[in-house]
Tab-separated table of all heavy atoms in Angstrom:
chain	number	residue	atom	x	y	z
A	43	ALA	N	100.880	-27.415	43.344
A	43	ALA	CA	99.876	-28.452	42.905
A	43	ALA	C	100.267	-29.091	41.643
A	43	ALA	O	100.626	-28.453	40.708
A	43	ALA	CB	98.541	-27.806	42.743
A	44	CYS	N	100.341	-30.376	41.597
A	44	CYS	CA	100.861	-31.173	40.500
A	44	CYS	C	102.172	-30.525	39.960
A	44	CYS	O	103.063	-30.298	40.719
A	44	CYS	CB	99.796	-31.199	39.354
A	44	CYS	SG	98.209	-30.766	39.776
A	45	GLY	N	102.145	-29.941	38.730
A	45	GLY	CA	103.416	-29.351	38.277
A	45	GLY	C	103.399	-27.876	38.330
A	45	GLY	O	104.184	-27.215	37.682
A	46	LEU	N	102.519	-27.278	39.100
A	46	LEU	CA	102.479	-25.771	39.174
A	46	LEU	C	102.890	-25.328	40.507
A	46	LEU	O	102.615	-25.941	41.604
A	46	LEU	CB	101.074	-25.328	38.855
A	46	LEU	CG	100.431	-25.650	37.540
A	46	LEU	CD1	99.092	-24.970	37.317
A	46	LEU	CD2	101.364	-25.239	36.361
A	80	PHE	N	81.231	-31.990	40.869
A	80	PHE	CA	81.953	-33.214	40.396
A	80	PHE	C	81.007	-34.440	40.311
A	80	PHE	O	81.143	-35.345	39.571
A	80	PHE	CB	83.058	-33.591	41.257
A	80	PHE	CG	84.398	-32.858	40.962
A	80	PHE	CD1	84.670	-31.669	41.536
A	80	PHE	CD2	85.304	-33.245	40.001
A	80	PHE	CE1	85.831	-30.836	41.264
A	80	PHE	CE2	86.384	-32.625	39.629
A	80	PHE	CZ	86.680	-31.394	40.300
A	94	LEU	N	79.604	-30.786	33.859
A	94	LEU	CA	80.548	-32.003	34.063
A	94	LEU	C	81.727	-31.920	33.110
A	94	LEU	O	82.082	-33.026	32.624
A	94	LEU	CB	79.666	-33.208	33.996
A	94	LEU	CG	78.972	-33.567	35.289
A	94	LEU	CD1	78.080	-34.771	34.990
A	94	LEU	CD2	80.024	-33.946	36.352
A	95	HIS	N	82.262	-30.774	32.859
A	95	HIS	CA	83.470	-30.822	32.064
A	95	HIS	C	84.541	-31.674	32.721
A	95	HIS	O	85.420	-32.290	31.995
A	95	HIS	CB	84.097	-29.438	31.751
A	95	HIS	CG	84.055	-28.534	32.960
A	95	HIS	ND1	83.006	-27.877	33.360
A	95	HIS	CD2	85.097	-28.163	33.770
A	95	HIS	CE1	83.272	-27.280	34.418
A	95	HIS	NE2	84.614	-27.326	34.754
A	96	THR	N	84.466	-31.804	34.029
A	96	THR	CA	85.424	-32.701	34.768
A	96	THR	C	85.305	-34.185	34.358
A	96	THR	O	86.235	-34.921	34.404
A	96	THR	CB	85.324	-32.463	36.179
A	96	THR	OG1	83.963	-32.720	36.634
A	96	THR	CG2	85.850	-31.111	36.719
A	97	ALA	N	84.107	-34.582	33.972
A	97	ALA	CA	83.880	-35.990	33.482
A	97	ALA	C	84.599	-36.291	32.326
A	97	ALA	O	85.097	-37.407	32.001
A	97	ALA	CB	82.422	-36.204	33.441
A	98	LEU	N	84.735	-35.320	31.440
A	98	LEU	CA	85.488	-35.495	30.154
A	98	LEU	C	86.949	-35.879	30.293
A	98	LEU	O	87.511	-36.397	29.388
A	98	LEU	CB	85.379	-34.218	29.316
A	98	LEU	CG	83.915	-33.740	29.037
A	98	LEU	CD1	83.942	-32.290	28.406
A	98	LEU	CD2	83.244	-34.711	27.977
A	99	ARG	N	87.550	-35.497	31.471
A	99	ARG	CA	88.921	-35.743	31.691
A	99	ARG	C	89.094	-36.756	32.839
A	99	ARG	O	90.221	-36.939	33.322
A	99	ARG	CB	89.691	-34.518	31.858
A	99	ARG	CG	89.229	-33.595	32.984
A	99	ARG	CD	89.255	-32.175	32.706
A	99	ARG	NE	89.065	-31.371	33.820
A	99	ARG	CZ	88.815	-30.017	33.825
A	99	ARG	NH1	88.657	-29.452	32.679
A	99	ARG	NH2	88.615	-29.332	34.945
A	100	ASN	N	88.022	-37.303	33.309
A	100	ASN	CA	88.145	-38.224	34.449
A	100	ASN	C	88.957	-39.435	34.101
A	100	ASN	O	88.635	-40.104	33.153
A	100	ASN	CB	86.688	-38.630	34.843
A	100	ASN	CG	86.718	-39.623	35.997
A	100	ASN	OD1	87.587	-39.619	36.775
A	100	ASN	ND2	85.586	-40.223	36.139
A	101	GLN	N	90.071	-39.690	34.921
A	101	GLN	CA	90.918	-40.860	34.583
A	101	GLN	C	90.588	-41.982	35.549
A	101	GLN	O	91.252	-43.036	35.475
A	101	GLN	CB	92.325	-40.455	34.698
A	101	GLN	CG	92.776	-39.225	33.946
A	101	GLN	CD	92.872	-39.464	32.465
A	101	GLN	OE1	93.498	-40.469	32.032
A	101	GLN	NE2	92.202	-38.639	31.716
A	102	ALA	N	89.739	-41.838	36.513
A	102	ALA	CA	89.323	-42.935	37.498
A	102	ALA	C	88.211	-43.719	36.821
A	102	ALA	O	87.664	-43.442	35.890
A	102	ALA	CB	88.991	-42.242	38.769
A	103	ASP	N	87.813	-44.832	37.598
A	103	ASP	CA	86.812	-45.693	37.032
A	103	ASP	C	85.433	-45.461	37.737
A	103	ASP	O	84.635	-46.406	37.694
A	103	ASP	CB	87.273	-47.163	36.923
A	103	ASP	CG	87.804	-47.622	38.263
A	103	ASP	OD1	87.490	-46.951	39.244
A	103	ASP	OD2	88.431	-48.670	38.249
A	104	ASN	N	85.341	-44.392	38.441
A	104	ASN	CA	84.071	-44.085	39.167
A	104	ASN	C	82.904	-43.802	38.100
A	104	ASN	O	83.176	-43.289	36.967
A	104	ASN	CB	84.121	-43.036	40.107
A	104	ASN	CG	84.631	-41.695	39.463
A	104	ASN	OD1	85.643	-41.619	38.798
A	104	ASN	ND2	83.836	-40.681	39.594
A	105	GLU	N	81.719	-44.006	38.567
A	105	GLU	CA	80.607	-43.590	37.748
A	105	GLU	C	80.316	-42.055	37.940
A	105	GLU	O	80.620	-41.507	38.977
A	105	GLU	CB	79.310	-44.282	38.199
A	105	GLU	CG	79.356	-45.776	37.906
A	105	GLU	CD	78.071	-46.530	38.264
A	105	GLU	OE1	77.298	-45.974	39.189
A	105	GLU	OE2	77.810	-47.519	37.699
A	106	VAL	N	79.855	-41.414	36.939
A	106	VAL	CA	79.351	-40.050	37.053
A	106	VAL	C	77.871	-39.920	36.532
A	106	VAL	O	77.619	-40.269	35.289
A	106	VAL	CB	80.222	-39.025	36.210
A	106	VAL	CG1	79.717	-37.697	36.402
A	106	VAL	CG2	81.608	-39.186	36.615
A	114	MET	N	80.042	-41.863	31.897
A	114	MET	CA	81.437	-42.181	31.564
A	114	MET	C	81.500	-43.146	30.297
A	114	MET	O	82.493	-42.968	29.551
A	114	MET	CB	82.229	-42.793	32.800
A	114	MET	CG	82.458	-41.729	33.805
A	114	MET	SD	83.327	-40.293	33.183
A	114	MET	CE	84.707	-40.828	32.335
A	117	VAL	N	81.423	-41.063	27.297
A	117	VAL	CA	82.654	-40.065	27.219
A	117	VAL	C	83.779	-40.990	26.598
A	117	VAL	O	84.488	-40.565	25.707
A	117	VAL	CB	83.001	-39.624	28.585
A	117	VAL	CG1	84.363	-38.995	28.624
A	117	VAL	CG2	81.944	-38.617	29.080
A	118	ARG	N	83.943	-42.257	27.184
A	118	ARG	CA	85.102	-42.982	26.725
A	118	ARG	C	84.918	-43.500	25.271
A	118	ARG	O	85.839	-43.530	24.460
A	118	ARG	CB	85.253	-44.242	27.642
A	118	ARG	CG	85.685	-43.893	28.959
A	118	ARG	CD	86.193	-45.049	29.893
A	118	ARG	NE	86.217	-44.587	31.249
A	118	ARG	CZ	85.333	-44.952	32.111
A	118	ARG	NH1	84.230	-45.714	31.819
A	118	ARG	NH2	85.470	-44.486	33.361
A	121	LEU	N	85.903	-40.663	23.102
A	121	LEU	CA	87.249	-40.467	23.049
A	121	LEU	C	87.905	-41.545	22.171
A	121	LEU	O	88.851	-41.333	21.261
A	121	LEU	CB	87.857	-40.606	24.446
A	121	LEU	CG	87.758	-39.342	25.393
A	121	LEU	CD1	88.156	-39.752	26.768
A	121	LEU	CD2	88.697	-38.310	24.760
A	271	LEU	N	86.795	-27.760	25.607
A	271	LEU	CA	87.900	-28.140	24.830
A	271	LEU	C	88.313	-29.676	25.160
A	271	LEU	O	88.986	-30.261	24.411
A	271	LEU	CB	89.121	-27.237	24.958
A	271	LEU	CG	89.923	-27.145	26.264
A	271	LEU	CD1	91.052	-28.178	26.242
A	271	LEU	CD2	90.466	-25.834	26.504
A	272	TRP	N	87.807	-30.084	26.313
A	272	TRP	CA	88.113	-31.491	26.697
A	272	TRP	C	87.178	-32.522	25.921
A	272	TRP	O	87.451	-33.689	26.132
A	272	TRP	CB	87.850	-31.570	28.285
A	272	TRP	CG	88.276	-30.423	28.993
A	272	TRP	CD1	87.518	-29.380	29.512
A	272	TRP	CD2	89.694	-29.978	29.355
A	272	TRP	NE1	88.314	-28.490	30.133
A	272	TRP	CE2	89.606	-28.782	29.974
A	272	TRP	CE3	90.923	-30.585	29.106
A	272	TRP	CZ2	90.737	-28.148	30.500
A	272	TRP	CZ3	92.080	-29.997	29.525
A	272	TRP	CH2	91.995	-28.723	30.165
A	288	PHE	N	96.857	-35.039	23.269
A	288	PHE	CA	95.477	-34.684	23.712
A	288	PHE	C	95.128	-35.338	25.030
A	288	PHE	O	94.642	-34.720	25.998
A	288	PHE	CB	94.455	-34.899	22.646
A	288	PHE	CG	93.016	-34.431	23.047
A	288	PHE	CD1	92.791	-33.031	23.105
A	288	PHE	CD2	92.083	-35.319	23.286
A	288	PHE	CE1	91.497	-32.664	23.500
A	288	PHE	CE2	90.781	-34.984	23.732
A	288	PHE	CZ	90.491	-33.558	23.746
A	289	GLU	N	95.441	-36.651	25.067
A	289	GLU	CA	95.221	-37.374	26.346
A	289	GLU	C	96.074	-36.863	27.454
A	289	GLU	O	95.574	-36.761	28.636
A	289	GLU	CB	95.578	-38.868	26.110
A	289	GLU	CG	94.430	-39.683	25.655
A	289	GLU	CD	94.609	-41.137	25.574
A	289	GLU	OE1	95.822	-41.544	25.298
A	289	GLU	OE2	93.695	-41.924	25.879
A	290	ALA	N	97.334	-36.410	27.104
A	290	ALA	CA	98.181	-35.844	28.210
A	290	ALA	C	97.639	-34.559	28.727
A	290	ALA	O	97.607	-34.264	29.937
A	290	ALA	CB	99.591	-35.648	27.758
A	291	LEU	N	96.965	-33.753	27.893
A	291	LEU	CA	96.272	-32.610	28.288
A	291	LEU	C	95.128	-32.866	29.252
A	291	LEU	O	94.909	-32.279	30.351
A	291	LEU	CB	95.696	-31.902	27.038
A	291	LEU	CG	95.155	-30.472	27.164
A	291	LEU	CD1	96.272	-29.387	27.183
A	291	LEU	CD2	94.317	-30.078	25.912
A	292	LEU	N	94.353	-33.947	28.898
A	292	LEU	CA	93.216	-34.318	29.818
A	292	LEU	C	93.835	-34.840	31.210
A	292	LEU	O	93.252	-34.505	32.219
A	292	LEU	CB	92.446	-35.544	29.239
A	292	LEU	CG	91.783	-35.360	27.846
A	292	LEU	CD1	91.022	-36.610	27.467
A	292	LEU	CD2	90.916	-34.135	27.863
A	293	LYS	N	94.893	-35.629	31.074
A	293	LYS	CA	95.503	-36.047	32.353
A	293	LYS	C	95.968	-34.983	33.225
A	293	LYS	O	95.809	-34.996	34.458
A	293	LYS	CB	96.699	-36.967	32.063
A	293	LYS	CG	96.189	-38.374	31.622
A	293	LYS	CD	97.318	-39.321	31.428
A	293	LYS	CE	96.758	-40.627	30.895
A	293	LYS	NZ	97.596	-41.364	29.982
A	294	GLY	N	96.584	-33.905	32.613
A	294	GLY	CA	96.957	-32.764	33.418
A	294	GLY	C	95.826	-32.099	34.087
A	294	GLY	O	95.900	-31.779	35.282
A	295	ALA	N	94.727	-31.941	33.390
A	295	ALA	CA	93.522	-31.227	33.937
A	295	ALA	C	92.974	-32.131	35.054
A	295	ALA	O	92.583	-31.585	36.102
A	295	ALA	CB	92.498	-31.021	32.909
A	296	TYR	N	93.004	-33.427	34.896
A	296	TYR	CA	92.512	-34.351	35.869
A	296	TYR	C	93.312	-34.222	37.237
A	296	TYR	O	92.821	-34.239	38.331
A	296	TYR	CB	92.591	-35.751	35.310
A	296	TYR	CG	92.174	-36.849	36.458
A	296	TYR	CD1	90.897	-36.965	36.860
A	296	TYR	CD2	93.181	-37.684	36.984
A	296	TYR	CE1	90.561	-37.927	37.795
A	296	TYR	CE2	92.890	-38.582	37.857
A	296	TYR	CZ	91.558	-38.775	38.354
A	296	TYR	OH	91.227	-39.690	39.312
A	297	ALA	N	94.583	-34.081	37.037
A	297	ALA	CA	95.536	-33.911	38.182
A	297	ALA	C	95.124	-32.682	38.967
A	297	ALA	O	95.048	-32.690	40.176
A	297	ALA	CB	97.000	-33.837	37.710
A	298	MET	N	94.735	-31.541	38.208
A	298	MET	CA	94.372	-30.372	39.003
A	298	MET	C	93.026	-30.604	39.630
A	298	MET	O	92.734	-30.072	40.705
A	298	MET	CB	94.380	-29.250	37.947
A	298	MET	CG	93.951	-27.785	38.559
A	298	MET	SD	94.994	-27.342	40.089
A	298	MET	CE	96.562	-26.878	39.277
A	299	ASP	N	92.178	-31.289	38.921
A	299	ASP	CA	90.842	-31.655	39.493
A	299	ASP	C	91.015	-32.326	40.875
A	299	ASP	O	90.337	-31.992	41.872
A	299	ASP	CB	89.962	-32.572	38.599
A	299	ASP	CG	89.580	-31.885	37.342
A	299	ASP	OD1	89.564	-30.658	37.232
A	299	ASP	OD2	89.190	-32.664	36.383
A	300	GLU	N	91.880	-33.345	40.850
A	300	GLU	CA	92.165	-34.076	42.136
A	300	GLU	C	92.713	-33.191	43.246
A	300	GLU	O	92.331	-33.286	44.329
A	300	GLU	CB	93.039	-35.251	41.843
A	300	GLU	CG	92.601	-36.384	41.029
A	300	GLU	CD	91.302	-37.019	41.673
A	300	GLU	OE1	91.603	-37.642	42.696
A	300	GLU	OE2	90.170	-36.820	41.275
A	301	HIS	N	93.606	-32.276	42.803
A	301	HIS	CA	94.198	-31.307	43.829
A	301	HIS	C	93.013	-30.462	44.323
A	301	HIS	O	92.910	-30.304	45.544
A	301	HIS	CB	95.181	-30.478	43.078
A	301	HIS	CG	95.597	-29.216	43.896
A	301	HIS	ND1	96.530	-29.271	44.924
A	301	HIS	CD2	95.205	-27.887	43.797
A	301	HIS	CE1	96.552	-28.000	45.429
A	301	HIS	NE2	95.760	-27.200	44.845
A	302	PHE	N	92.205	-29.899	43.516
A	302	PHE	CA	91.112	-29.029	43.885
A	302	PHE	C	90.105	-29.780	44.799
A	302	PHE	O	89.666	-29.181	45.853
A	302	PHE	CB	90.339	-28.523	42.591
A	302	PHE	CG	89.165	-27.648	42.818
A	302	PHE	CD1	89.280	-26.634	43.728
A	302	PHE	CD2	88.000	-27.901	42.190
A	302	PHE	CE1	88.094	-25.736	43.947
A	302	PHE	CE2	86.894	-27.008	42.369
A	302	PHE	CZ	86.967	-25.890	43.275
A	303	LYS	N	89.968	-31.124	44.544
A	303	LYS	CA	89.020	-31.870	45.393
A	303	LYS	C	89.488	-32.194	46.759
A	303	LYS	O	88.800	-32.270	47.716
A	303	LYS	CB	88.661	-33.161	44.631
A	303	LYS	CG	87.623	-33.090	43.623
A	303	LYS	CD	86.951	-34.362	43.300
A	303	LYS	CE	87.741	-35.311	42.516
A	303	LYS	NZ	87.093	-36.488	41.956
A	304	SER	N	90.905	-32.413	46.863
A	304	SER	CA	91.440	-33.024	48.028
A	304	SER	C	92.342	-32.114	48.810
A	304	SER	O	92.528	-32.364	50.075
A	304	SER	CB	92.070	-34.376	47.704
A	304	SER	OG	93.119	-34.047	46.781
A	305	ALA	N	92.949	-31.126	48.211
A	305	ALA	CA	93.998	-30.256	49.033
A	305	ALA	C	93.229	-29.469	50.129
A	305	ALA	O	92.114	-28.968	49.759
A	305	ALA	CB	94.769	-29.328	48.091
A	312	PRO	N	93.294	-23.218	43.341
A	312	PRO	CA	92.197	-22.504	42.814
A	312	PRO	C	91.453	-21.654	43.880
A	312	PRO	O	91.045	-20.454	43.596
A	312	PRO	CB	91.190	-23.622	42.332
A	312	PRO	CG	92.048	-24.793	42.025
A	312	PRO	CD	93.254	-24.686	43.021
A	477	PRO	N	101.786	-30.581	27.323
A	477	PRO	CA	100.369	-30.885	27.332
A	477	PRO	C	99.894	-31.080	28.820
A	477	PRO	O	98.864	-30.572	29.100
A	477	PRO	CB	100.219	-32.136	26.548
A	477	PRO	CG	101.398	-32.096	25.608
A	477	PRO	CD	102.544	-31.480	26.388
A	478	GLU	N	100.650	-31.765	29.649
A	478	GLU	CA	100.166	-32.066	31.094
A	478	GLU	C	100.069	-30.629	31.814
A	478	GLU	O	99.106	-30.351	32.445
A	478	GLU	CB	101.126	-32.886	31.861
A	478	GLU	CG	101.008	-34.314	31.584
A	478	GLU	CD	101.909	-34.805	30.453
A	478	GLU	OE1	102.471	-33.841	29.776
A	478	GLU	OE2	102.059	-35.920	30.320
A	479	THR	N	101.169	-29.781	31.751
A	479	THR	CA	101.153	-28.657	32.565
A	479	THR	C	100.146	-27.614	32.030
A	479	THR	O	99.442	-26.889	32.804
A	479	THR	CB	102.506	-28.043	32.695
A	479	THR	OG1	103.093	-27.834	31.441
A	479	THR	CG2	103.460	-28.803	33.578
A	480	LEU	N	99.962	-27.663	30.766
A	480	LEU	CA	98.920	-26.795	30.149
A	480	LEU	C	97.553	-27.157	30.595
A	480	LEU	O	96.767	-26.408	31.045
A	480	LEU	CB	98.970	-26.787	28.649
A	480	LEU	CG	97.950	-25.828	27.906
A	480	LEU	CD1	98.192	-24.365	28.309
A	480	LEU	CD2	98.070	-25.952	26.380
A	481	GLY	N	97.266	-28.463	30.596
A	481	GLY	CA	96.009	-29.020	31.099
A	481	GLY	C	95.837	-28.616	32.597
A	481	GLY	O	94.619	-28.096	32.989
A	482	GLN	N	96.855	-28.618	33.383
A	482	GLN	CA	96.720	-28.153	34.784
A	482	GLN	C	96.343	-26.694	34.948
A	482	GLN	O	95.528	-26.275	35.725
A	482	GLN	CB	98.114	-28.489	35.525
A	482	GLN	CG	98.346	-29.984	35.631
A	482	GLN	CD	99.922	-30.202	36.005
A	482	GLN	OE1	100.607	-29.288	36.491
A	482	GLN	NE2	100.296	-31.383	35.776
A	483	LEU	N	97.081	-25.922	34.068
A	483	LEU	CA	96.869	-24.461	34.135
A	483	LEU	C	95.436	-24.073	33.757
A	483	LEU	O	94.801	-23.261	34.466
A	483	LEU	CB	97.867	-23.865	33.141
A	483	LEU	CG	97.959	-22.258	33.138
A	483	LEU	CD1	98.591	-21.794	34.382
A	483	LEU	CD2	98.794	-21.819	31.899
A	484	ILE	N	94.936	-24.760	32.695
A	484	ILE	CA	93.509	-24.359	32.310
A	484	ILE	C	92.578	-24.755	33.390
A	484	ILE	O	91.690	-23.946	33.833
A	484	ILE	CB	93.132	-25.138	30.966
A	484	ILE	CG1	94.145	-24.845	29.833
A	484	ILE	CG2	91.719	-24.647	30.499
A	484	ILE	CD1	94.012	-25.741	28.663
A	485	ALA	N	92.724	-25.988	33.973
A	485	ALA	CA	91.797	-26.422	34.998
A	485	ALA	C	91.893	-25.572	36.181
A	485	ALA	O	90.949	-25.243	36.926
A	485	ALA	CB	92.021	-27.914	35.349
A	486	LEU	N	93.104	-25.027	36.439
A	486	LEU	CA	93.298	-24.109	37.728
A	486	LEU	C	92.447	-22.935	37.514
A	486	LEU	O	91.655	-22.536	38.446
A	486	LEU	CB	94.732	-23.743	37.729
A	486	LEU	CG	95.138	-22.584	38.664
A	486	LEU	CD1	94.789	-22.972	40.171
A	486	LEU	CD2	96.624	-22.272	38.601
A	488	GLU	N	89.698	-22.565	35.566
A	488	GLU	CA	88.369	-22.966	35.501
A	488	GLU	C	87.844	-23.078	36.958
A	488	GLU	O	86.788	-22.572	37.267
A	488	GLU	CB	88.123	-24.342	34.898
A	488	GLU	CG	88.223	-24.412	33.429
A	488	GLU	CD	88.118	-25.894	32.837
A	488	GLU	OE1	88.174	-26.838	33.678
A	488	GLU	OE2	87.987	-26.051	31.628
A	489	HIS	N	88.659	-23.745	37.864
A	489	HIS	CA	88.213	-23.873	39.138
A	489	HIS	C	88.230	-22.538	39.885
A	489	HIS	O	87.429	-22.379	40.869
A	489	HIS	CB	88.959	-24.941	39.910
A	489	HIS	CG	88.789	-26.263	39.285
A	489	HIS	ND1	87.534	-26.765	38.887
A	489	HIS	CD2	89.603	-27.358	39.073
A	489	HIS	CE1	87.675	-28.003	38.356
A	489	HIS	NE2	88.912	-28.366	38.417
Side-chain angles (χ1 to χ4, degrees):
C44 345
L46 302 184
F80 278 92
L94 277 174
H95 45 283
T96 50
L98 300 168
R99 56 217 192 196
N100 180 20
Q101 307 288 309
D103 52 14
N104 59 303
E105 294 183 333
V106 180
M114 287 313 301
V117 168
R118 290 193 198 103
L121 281 170
L271 73 88
W272 321 102
F288 182 70
E289 270 187 323
L291 191 77
L292 300 184
K293 283 185 183 147
Y296 173 72
M298 182 55 71
D299 292 343
E300 290 297 290
H301 166 82
F302 179 46
K303 279 201 288 194
S304 59
E478 281 94 344
T479 53
L480 183 62
Q482 293 163 15
L483 187 69
I484 306 166
L486 167 61
E488 285 179 351
H489 295 321

